[in-house]
Amino acid sequence: MRITIKNLSHIYRGGVEALKEVNLSIEEGNSILLLGHNGAGKSTLLKHLNGILKPTSGDIFIGELNTKSHDAGGLAHHVALSFQNPDDQIFSSTVLEEVSFGPRNLGKTNFSELATEALELLGLTHTAGSHPYDLHPSKRKMLTIASAIAMDTPILAFDEPTAGFDMRQRIILTQAIEKLKRRQKTIIIVSHDIDYFLELCDSIIILDDGVVRFHGSKHDLSARPDVRSLLR
């Protein structure tokens, strides 16, 4: 599904303008690295994709669906998000129940198969019967990524997915993302881990103070004379 963002602005209570007239178009099957310093608006933008946040002004279309007219439950059929802090997301008593919840809640009859496959993909099969909070924090992060993948939505968004990961976990995540790309999933990744994700993503978006400063390919970015300042 194509993502179309038109003149999106978001102002939090207290008057903080997190996004300012954002215009973006993301084609189906693209993998996007979303960059920007802390407070640039990255996480705010992700939360608009599945309706957790609504625009103060402007519009977001997921395919033909305007997020203003659909709640988070309806948009969950199209967009799955893993949060920056896994403890904001986890609530089930076992790992398998946690990963199964999303696809089962969406009414997918093969939810058990989807959950099992996602756990295998993220190297978590052996933890299926464990309580999520018995896992190391980095494995809880893996768990939230697996939960998003198990929902089998056309669009996946991951907020700082490699935080706290060791090399083995990075390899597992790389293999998972490559497999998702072959399935033509649209993947949006928010991360400060630039060197790692530049190799995995097709396009780059750079946000600065709620404004899009760059949107294009890695080649386009490297050709910019101000590439160093943009990446800073």
Side-chain angles (χ1 to χ4, degrees):
M1 302 178 77
R2 184 177 185 176
I3 301 169
T4 306
I5 302 174
K6 297 182 177 180
N7 301 316
L8 171 65
S9 294
H10 187 83
I11 302 173
Y12 285 106
R13 290 181 181 178
V16 176
E17 191 173 11
L19 296 172
K20 305 170 184 176
E21 297 289 324
V22 170
N23 288 278
L24 290 167
S25 180
I26 299 173
E27 298 298 326
E28 181 177 355
N30 275 11
S31 53
I32 308 292
L33 175 57
L34 180 54
L35 300 174
H37 59 73
N38 291 334
K42 306 183 300 298
S43 297
T44 299
L45 180 58
L46 286 195
K47 290 176 181 177
H48 277 78
L49 298 178
N50 68 349
I52 293 176
L53 294 178
K54 297 295 185 183
T56 302
S57 61
D59 298 279
I60 298 182
F61 295 90
I62 306 298
E64 300 298 322
L65 302 178
N66 190 324
T67 63
K68 284 181 175 177
S69 307
H70 296 79
D71 62 17
L75 293 167
H77 290 269
H78 310 290
V79 183
L81 169 64
S82 72
F83 296 161
Q84 184 173 351
N85 182 359
D87 295 346
D88 291 340
Q89 188 168 342
I90 293 170
F91 61 90
S92 298
S93 58
T94 71
V95 166
L96 182 58
E97 288 173 359
E98 182 72 27
V99 181
S100 299
F101 177 82
R104 182 168 53 194
N105 196 48
L106 294 179
K108 295 182 182 290
T109 56
N110 61 336
F111 69 86
S112 180
E113 177 185 339
L114 290 169
T116 300
E117 182 184 8
L119 287 174
E120 182 178 357
L121 191 62
L122 275 300
L124 295 172
T125 301
H126 64 289
T127 70
S130 302
H131 194 288
Y133 286 99
D134 290 335
L135 302 182
H136 186 275
S138 64
K139 286 192 175 182
R140 292 204 296 272
K141 189 77 170 180
M142 277 287 200
L143 173 57
T144 61
I145 296 170
S147 296
I149 291 172
M151 293 174 71
D152 196 28
T153 54
I155 300 168
L156 292 162
F158 304 135
D159 198 347
E160 297 290 354
T162 56
F165 279 14
D166 59 23
M167 184 55 67
R168 177 180 173 275
Q169 290 168 319
R170 284 168 176 259
I171 292 171
I172 290 171
L173 183 62
T174 298
Q175 293 170 341
I177 290 174
E178 293 289 4
K179 188 167 186 177
L180 294 168
K181 288 170 66 176
R182 290 193 294 272
R183 294 177 181 175
Q184 289 298 298
K185 301 287 188 181
T186 302
I187 304 170
I188 303 171
I189 297 169
V190 166
S191 181
H192 291 94
D193 202 349
I194 298 174
D195 292 338
Y196 174 74
F197 283 113
L198 275 177
E199 297 299 317
L200 285 172
C201 293
D202 304 317
S203 302
I204 299 156
I205 297 169
I206 299 177
L207 280 179
D208 178 29
D209 195 25
V211 176
V212 176
R213 301 298 184 190
F214 177 85
H215 181 201
S217 68
K218 290 176 281 190
H219 174 75
D220 292 339
L221 180 61
S222 63
R224 289 274 297 253
D226 57 347
V227 59
R228 289 182 182 274
S229 62
L230 281 171
L231 289 177
R232 276 201 302 271

